[in-house]
């Protein structure tokens, strides 16, 4: 999902229509208040943020996003006025991932969005894993679900890592037992089931991404 924060109705509607036509899910928001309300229930892949907004200045919104642990990971592309050099520099300093100057071509905007998402995806692959609303940091051994930190044991972390590293692939209980607990572990596959149950509970709504494949094992859905 991409959020487009733009107060001019015709521009916002054109952007939403164009994004949907090119395969993206998109939602239009007229200002900062609507954005923060929407963020309470959803975590978008990217935010298109107009700087000149009637209620809250776009740079102020950007600063709040980047200083909030729940939203700082969301990439932001600024929509800036022609010649607004200070706004561009200030926005990049505050953590914006890119900017595009009005008036702009829709195909250029789509290309910029794809480039930012591709770049963010590459960074995540280097340092962690991301699937749906679950983000796993391999360096810090941290997990977030819907932007909220999740405290896991080492085995729960390794189990989640194994499932997220193989999205949509069915992994048997025996394989999980051997690769997470080790070949010398003499426990039963019920150990895996118990850890999966706890893992689902800790992940909250995102726990539904772990699917049970009856008689075989588990898989992680996107």
């Amino acid at each position: 999902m991409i959020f487009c924060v733009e107060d001019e109705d015709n521009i916002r509607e054109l952007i939403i229509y164009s994004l949907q036509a090119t395969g993206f899910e998109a939602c239009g928001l007229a200002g900062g208040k609507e954005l923060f309300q929407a963020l309470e229930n959803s975590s978008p892949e990217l935010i298109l943020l107009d700087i000149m907004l009637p209620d809250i200045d776009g740079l102020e919104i950007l600063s709040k996003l980047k200083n909030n642990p729940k939203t700082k990971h969301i990439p932001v592309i600024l929509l800036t006025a022609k010649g607004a050099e200070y706004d561009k520099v200030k926005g990049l300093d505050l953590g914006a991932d890119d900017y595009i100057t009005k008036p702009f071509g829709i195909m250029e905007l789509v290309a910029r969005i794809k480039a930012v998402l591709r770049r963010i995806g590459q960074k995540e692959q280097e340092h962690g894993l991301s699937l749906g609303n679950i983000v796993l940091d391999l360096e810090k051994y941290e997990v977030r679900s819907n932007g909220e930190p999740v405290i896991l044991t080492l085995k729960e972390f390794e189990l989640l890592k194994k499932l997220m590293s193989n999205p949509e692939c069915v992994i048997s209980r025996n394989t999980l037992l051997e690769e997470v607990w080790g070949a010398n572990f003499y426990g039963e596959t019920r150990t895996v089931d118990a850890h999966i149950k706890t893992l689902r509970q800790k992940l909250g709504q995102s726990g539904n991404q772990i699917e049970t494949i009856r008689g075989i094992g588990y898989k992680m859905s996107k």
Side-chain angles (χ1 to χ4, degrees):
M1 174 66 74
I2 294 176
F3 283 176
C4 174
V5 188
E6 166 63 63
D7 63 310
E8 294 189 38
D9 295 344
N10 57 336
I11 296 177
R12 185 176 66 250
E13 290 170 5
L14 175 61
I15 291 174
I16 296 303
Y17 174 81
S18 301
L19 291 177
Q20 291 175 343
T22 52
F24 289 105
E25 290 185 41
C27 174
L29 304 163
K33 292 180 180 178
E34 287 189 21
L35 170 63
F36 289 117
Q37 288 175 354
L39 287 171
E40 292 179 3
N41 301 310
S42 179
S43 180
E45 292 179 85
L46 181 143
I47 297 174
L48 294 173
L49 178 61
D50 185 25
I51 288 183
M52 300 296 291
L53 293 169
D55 56 351
I56 309 175
D57 179 75
L59 293 178
E60 182 181 346
I61 292 173
L62 176 63
S63 179
K64 289 182 178 180
L65 291 173
K66 294 304 178 181
N67 283 293
N68 187 332
K70 295 181 181 180
T71 56
K72 67 179 183 180
H73 67 283
I74 303 173
V76 177
I77 296 179
L78 296 177
L79 307 180
T80 68
K82 186 176 182 180
E85 193 68 27
Y86 172 80
D87 288 341
K88 297 172 186 175
V89 174
K90 182 67 173 177
L92 293 172
D93 285 343
L94 287 172
D97 294 86
D98 199 357
Y99 66 85
I100 186 166
T101 303
K102 296 179 180 180
F104 49 80
I106 290 298
M107 295 313 297
E108 179 187 0
L109 177 63
V110 171
R112 293 287 191 93
I113 291 171
K114 289 181 177 179
V116 168
L117 291 177
R118 187 163 56 245
R119 188 164 69 243
I120 295 298
Q122 289 171 346
K123 287 182 181 179
E124 288 180 347
Q125 288 178 4
E126 291 173 3
H127 303 293
L129 299 167
S130 178
L131 200 64
N133 291 319
I134 304 172
V135 177
L136 186 149
D137 190 317
L138 295 172
E139 292 186 335
K140 298 179 180 179
Y141 266 71
E142 294 177 349
V143 175
R144 288 186 173 275
S145 176
N146 289 300
E148 297 287 345
V150 179
I151 307 302
L152 301 181
T153 66
L154 178 59
K155 291 302 182 187
E156 289 167 351
F157 184 92
E158 293 297 332
L159 184 58
L160 181 61
K161 175 185 172 184
K162 179 64 179 177
L163 291 168
M164 290 180 66
S165 298
N166 300 273
E168 304 297 342
C169 293
V170 179
I171 306 177
S172 71
R173 289 176 173 83
N174 286 328
T175 297
L176 290 171
L177 192 64
E178 182 175 333
E179 295 194 11
V180 174
W181 278 265
N184 295 324
F185 180 76
Y186 292 104
E188 300 180 353
T189 55
R190 283 180 295 181
T191 300
V192 176
D193 297 332
H195 278 72
I196 289 289
K197 180 180 179 180
T198 304
L199 191 53
R200 281 174 172 155
Q201 293 172 344
K202 290 185 176 182
L203 292 172
Q205 291 183 341
S206 299
N208 294 330
Q209 290 179 232
I210 304 176
E211 298 182 24
T212 301
I213 308 302
R214 189 176 296 276
I216 303 176
Y218 300 93
K219 78 171 183 177
M220 197 83 180
S221 61
K222 297 181 180 179

